[in-house]
Amino acid sequence: MTENEIMLTSVLDCRRVDLAVNTRVLTPDQQARYDQMQARRNHGEPLQYIVGQWDFYGMTLFVDRRALIPRPETEILVDLAIHTVKSDPRKETLKALDLGIGSGNMTAALLKNLPHMTMTALDISDEALDLARQNAKHHGVESRVNFLCDDMARYLKEAVVKGEKFDMVVSNPPYIPTQQLGKLPIDVQQEPRIALDGGDDGLRFCRAIIEYAWQILQEKGFLAMEIGDGQRDDIAGIFAQYPQYREIRFFKDYVGTDRVVMARKRVGA
């Protein structure tokens, strides 16, 4: 759909086909809401925030300024994680960890498709966690999520000390280099900076995840993480420092960019 059609279907609470088969005249209230949407969009606000919801992995999620907008590329990570779990269905229950939950898109999608899984979902933003709870509740998976507000690296260090173990760790961490934030499209710059800023080289959070994830994974457990444009070689170099991983694989997005990395914990590590 075009942006105009998306706004109209939101205002009219209808499907795109309804716009074609039924010529509708907007009520004064509907016209005012539509005009307000257009004004917000003209000022560069993301369309997703304007309509207040967006589709991700066949689910409709609430979205707003509290968290990063779910993107199609992240569906690749979710799909790979679900396929990996289903291809080895030896365990009756699974524990997973989502680092940087944001809107809760990955957590909700994974739990909806893997009914034998529970999730610990972490974010440093209380506001993002509130949105994630809303989405989890909307999709009936809230009771299977332990929401935590904490710094990612601090949590990982403490989890290692406590001996916590997970079958799967997933993350779409901030991975944009700080100096590139000002060059992003104007609508992307209106998303939470904390969800985008990956430090000087964009790899601050990726390093911490790779360093600690193997220590909290069960044997043969796996890590799946989204990465930024052109980061494959650097990510491969970080993994090379940790022989506790095996089967390190990269997967491309819809335009051929390496977007997801997956690795298993080596047996005996």
Side-chain angles (χ1 to χ4, degrees):
M1 288 192 288
T2 65
E3 290 192 356
N4 184 59
E5 289 172 334
I6 291 171
M7 285 186 274
L8 281 173
T9 55
S10 177
V11 168
L12 293 168
D13 191 22
C14 70
R15 300 168 300 169
R16 182 188 184 188
V17 65
D18 297 324
L19 298 177
V21 299
N22 295 314
T23 302
R24 301 190 182 191
V25 177
L26 299 180
T27 67
D29 286 346
Q30 289 171 335
Q31 185 67 55
R33 183 183 171 201
Y34 175 72
D35 291 343
Q36 185 183 52
M37 285 181 163
Q38 289 277 23
R40 290 168 64 185
R41 188 68 184 119
N42 290 339
H43 281 88
E45 186 172 348
L47 177 65
Q48 296 89 336
Y49 290 166
I50 295 171
V51 298
Q53 61 184 34
W54 207 245
D55 288 339
F56 179 83
Y57 210 77
M59 308 165 58
T60 299
L61 299 174
F62 300 110
V63 294
D64 57 37
R65 291 179 176 273
R66 290 176 288 179
L68 200 69
I69 296 165
R71 287 168 167 78
E73 293 82 2
T74 309
E75 294 183 351
I76 298 171
L77 191 161
V78 171
D79 204 45
L80 289 166
I82 291 171
H83 175 76
T84 301
V85 170
K86 289 186 174 180
S87 65
D88 187 18
R90 291 177 296 173
K91 298 189 68 171
E92 294 183 359
T93 59
L94 290 170
K95 288 181 60 181
L97 172 64
D98 185 352
L99 294 167
I101 185 176
S103 67
N105 54 314
M106 286 202 299
T107 285
L110 289 167
L111 292 177
K112 285 279 283 189
N113 287 274
L114 298 170
H116 57 308
M117 175 179 285
T118 59
M119 182 77 72
T120 294
L122 182 86
D123 205 286
I124 198 169
S125 167
D126 276 319
E127 291 185 339
L129 285 168
D130 286 342
L131 179 60
R133 287 189 187 96
Q134 183 181 1
N135 280 316
K137 183 176 181 179
H138 181 68
H139 288 284
V141 298
E142 185 182 22
S143 64
R144 293 156 55 203
V145 188
N146 177 28
F147 295 98
L148 296 176
C149 185
D150 203 347
D151 173 79
M152 193 182 298
R154 181 170 59 241
Y155 170 81
L156 287 169
K157 292 176 184 177
E158 292 179 354
V160 171
V161 173
K162 293 177 181 177
E164 294 190 31
K165 294 295 181 182
F166 298 93
D167 299 286
M168 174 174 71
V169 175
V170 297
S171 183
N172 179 14
Y175 53 66
I176 306 297
T178 303
Q179 66 273 19
Q180 292 184 17
L181 294 175
K183 302 175 184 178
L184 295 173
I186 187 64
D187 54 348
V188 178
Q189 291 188 46
Q190 297 195 40
E191 297 182 67
R193 182 185 178 98
I194 198 171
L196 298 167
D197 191 348
D200 290 343
D201 60 359
L203 299 172
R204 173 189 168 197
F205 296 98
C206 296
R207 284 193 185 90
I209 293 169
I210 295 171
E211 177 181 357
Y212 293 107
W214 70 269
Q215 300 179 69
I216 60 173
L217 282 170
Q218 301 279 11
E219 280 199 353
K220 299 185 179 180
F222 69 92
L223 164 65
M225 181 172 62
E226 186 169 325
I227 64 174
D229 295 3
Q231 291 181 344
R232 173 179 175 147
D233 289 346
D234 288 330
I235 293 291
I238 297 171
F239 270 110
Q241 301 173 40
Y242 299 95
Q244 296 88 355
Y245 291 103
R246 63 185 178 90
E247 297 179 22
I248 301 163
R249 296 176 292 167
F250 292 86
F251 300 86
K252 298 184 182 299
D253 61 17
Y254 306 110
V255 296
T257 299
D258 290 303
R259 184 62 61 195
V260 176
V261 60
M262 290 187 68
R264 283 195 180 275
K265 179 176 179 176
R266 191 177 298 278
V267 175

